mmCIF file of all heavy atoms in Angstrom:
data_model
loop_
_atom_site.group_PDB
_atom_site.id
_atom_site.type_symbol
_atom_site.label_atom_id
_atom_site.label_comp_id
_atom_site.label_asym_id
_atom_site.label_seq_id
_atom_site.Cartn_x
_atom_site.Cartn_y
_atom_site.Cartn_z
ATOM 1 N N VAL H 37 7.315 -10.591 3.236
ATOM 2 C CA VAL H 37 7.892 -9.356 2.700
ATOM 3 C C VAL H 37 8.747 -9.745 1.501
ATOM 4 O O VAL H 37 8.936 -10.922 1.226
ATOM 5 C CB VAL H 37 8.762 -8.619 3.743
ATOM 6 C CG1 VAL H 37 7.901 -8.067 4.845
ATOM 7 C CG2 VAL H 37 9.808 -9.538 4.325
ATOM 8 N N ASP H 38 9.299 -8.735 0.794
ATOM 9 C CA ASP H 38 10.105 -9.037 -0.384
ATOM 10 C C ASP H 38 11.288 -9.920 -0.008
ATOM 11 O O ASP H 38 11.884 -9.773 1.050
ATOM 12 C CB ASP H 38 10.602 -7.736 -1.024
ATOM 13 C CG ASP H 38 9.473 -6.937 -1.660
ATOM 14 O OD1 ASP H 38 8.310 -7.364 -1.553
ATOM 15 O OD2 ASP H 38 9.759 -5.900 -2.258
ATOM 16 N N GLN H 39 11.659 -10.814 -0.916
ATOM 17 C CA GLN H 39 12.800 -11.707 -0.720
ATOM 18 C C GLN H 39 14.094 -10.912 -0.637
ATOM 19 O O GLN H 39 14.208 -9.842 -1.233
ATOM 20 C CB GLN H 39 12.903 -12.663 -1.915
ATOM 21 C CG GLN H 39 11.685 -13.523 -2.151
ATOM 22 C CD GLN H 39 11.576 -14.657 -1.167
ATOM 23 O OE1 GLN H 39 12.591 -15.166 -0.723
ATOM 24 N NE2 GLN H 39 10.371 -15.040 -0.803
ATOM 25 N N SER H 40 15.101 -11.464 0.060
ATOM 26 C CA SER H 40 16.397 -10.784 0.096
ATOM 27 C C SER H 40 17.127 -11.020 -1.231
ATOM 28 O O SER H 40 16.836 -11.969 -1.953
ATOM 29 C CB SER H 40 17.231 -11.286 1.265
ATOM 30 O OG SER H 40 17.475 -12.654 1.130
ATOM 31 N N THR H 41 18.073 -10.143 -1.525
ATOM 32 C CA THR H 41 18.754 -10.195 -2.820
ATOM 33 C C THR H 41 19.869 -11.228 -2.826
ATOM 34 O O THR H 41 20.430 -11.567 -1.785
ATOM 35 C CB THR H 41 19.375 -8.831 -3.167
ATOM 36 O OG1 THR H 41 20.261 -8.485 -2.110
ATOM 37 C CG2 THR H 41 18.324 -7.762 -3.290
ATOM 38 N N LEU H 42 20.242 -11.696 -4.012
ATOM 39 C CA LEU H 42 21.324 -12.663 -4.194
ATOM 40 C C LEU H 42 22.495 -12.003 -4.912
ATOM 41 O O LEU H 42 23.456 -12.660 -5.289
ATOM 42 C CB LEU H 42 20.819 -13.858 -5.009
ATOM 43 C CG LEU H 42 19.595 -14.570 -4.426
ATOM 44 C CD1 LEU H 42 19.107 -15.646 -5.377
ATOM 45 C CD2 LEU H 42 19.914 -15.159 -3.066
ATOM 46 N N GLN H 43 22.402 -10.685 -5.130
ATOM 47 C CA GLN H 43 23.448 -9.936 -5.834
ATOM 48 C C GLN H 43 23.345 -8.480 -5.384
ATOM 49 O O GLN H 43 22.430 -8.129 -4.658
ATOM 50 C CB GLN H 43 23.249 -10.064 -7.350
ATOM 51 C CG GLN H 43 21.817 -9.795 -7.776
ATOM 52 C CD GLN H 43 21.415 -10.465 -9.078
ATOM 53 O OE1 GLN H 43 22.153 -11.247 -9.644
ATOM 54 N NE2 GLN H 43 20.236 -10.147 -9.545
ATOM 55 N N ASP H 44 24.293 -7.631 -5.813
ATOM 56 C CA ASP H 44 24.285 -6.213 -5.404
ATOM 57 C C ASP H 44 22.950 -5.560 -5.717
ATOM 58 O O ASP H 44 22.373 -4.857 -4.904
ATOM 59 C CB ASP H 44 25.365 -5.415 -6.161
ATOM 60 C CG ASP H 44 26.739 -5.587 -5.561
ATOM 61 O OD1 ASP H 44 26.839 -6.238 -4.511
ATOM 62 O OD2 ASP H 44 27.701 -5.068 -6.146
ATOM 63 N N PHE H 45 22.507 -5.753 -6.925
ATOM 64 C CA PHE H 45 21.264 -5.155 -7.415
ATOM 65 C C PHE H 45 20.792 -5.912 -8.637
ATOM 66 O O PHE H 45 21.518 -6.754 -9.181
ATOM 67 C CB PHE H 45 21.458 -3.662 -7.749
ATOM 68 C CG PHE H 45 22.651 -3.372 -8.620
ATOM 69 C CD1 PHE H 45 22.628 -3.684 -9.968
ATOM 70 C CD2 PHE H 45 23.793 -2.789 -8.079
ATOM 71 C CE1 PHE H 45 23.721 -3.411 -10.772
ATOM 72 C CE2 PHE H 45 24.897 -2.517 -8.882
ATOM 73 C CZ PHE H 45 24.862 -2.833 -10.229
ATOM 74 N N CYS H 46 19.570 -5.617 -9.023
ATOM 75 C CA CYS H 46 18.982 -6.203 -10.231
ATOM 76 C C CYS H 46 18.128 -5.108 -10.828
ATOM 77 O O CYS H 46 16.914 -5.093 -10.677
ATOM 78 C CB CYS H 46 18.168 -7.441 -9.860
ATOM 79 S SG CYS H 46 17.092 -8.034 -11.177
ATOM 80 N N VAL H 47 18.807 -4.138 -11.429
ATOM 81 C CA VAL H 47 18.092 -2.994 -12.004
ATOM 82 C C VAL H 47 17.116 -3.504 -13.063
ATOM 83 O O VAL H 47 17.485 -4.296 -13.928
ATOM 84 C CB VAL H 47 19.101 -1.990 -12.618
ATOM 85 C CG1 VAL H 47 18.365 -0.918 -13.414
ATOM 86 C CG2 VAL H 47 19.957 -1.376 -11.522
ATOM 87 N N ALA H 48 15.866 -3.073 -12.954
ATOM 88 C CA ALA H 48 14.835 -3.579 -13.864
ATOM 89 C C ALA H 48 15.150 -3.208 -15.305
ATOM 90 O O ALA H 48 15.497 -2.066 -15.598
ATOM 91 C CB ALA H 48 13.485 -3.012 -13.464
ATOM 92 N N ASP H 49 15.034 -4.186 -16.181
ATOM 93 C CA ASP H 49 15.209 -3.974 -17.622
ATOM 94 C C ASP H 49 13.843 -3.651 -18.210
ATOM 95 O O ASP H 49 12.969 -4.526 -18.242
ATOM 96 C CB ASP H 49 15.787 -5.235 -18.260
ATOM 97 C CG ASP H 49 15.934 -5.107 -19.773
ATOM 98 O OD1 ASP H 49 15.567 -4.051 -20.319
ATOM 99 O OD2 ASP H 49 16.404 -6.080 -20.390
ATOM 100 N N PRO H 50 13.639 -2.405 -18.688
ATOM 101 C CA PRO H 50 12.306 -2.032 -19.186
ATOM 102 C C PRO H 50 11.889 -2.866 -20.392
ATOM 103 O O PRO H 50 10.699 -2.957 -20.701
ATOM 104 C CB PRO H 50 12.456 -0.549 -19.550
ATOM 105 C CG PRO H 50 13.919 -0.322 -19.727
ATOM 106 C CD PRO H 50 14.623 -1.311 -18.849
#
Side-chain angles (χ1 to χ4, degrees):
V37 291
D38 291 3
Q39 301 284 328
S40 61
T41 57
L42 304 175
Q43 48 205 7
D44 279 355
F45 50 74
C46 167
V47 171
D49 177 359

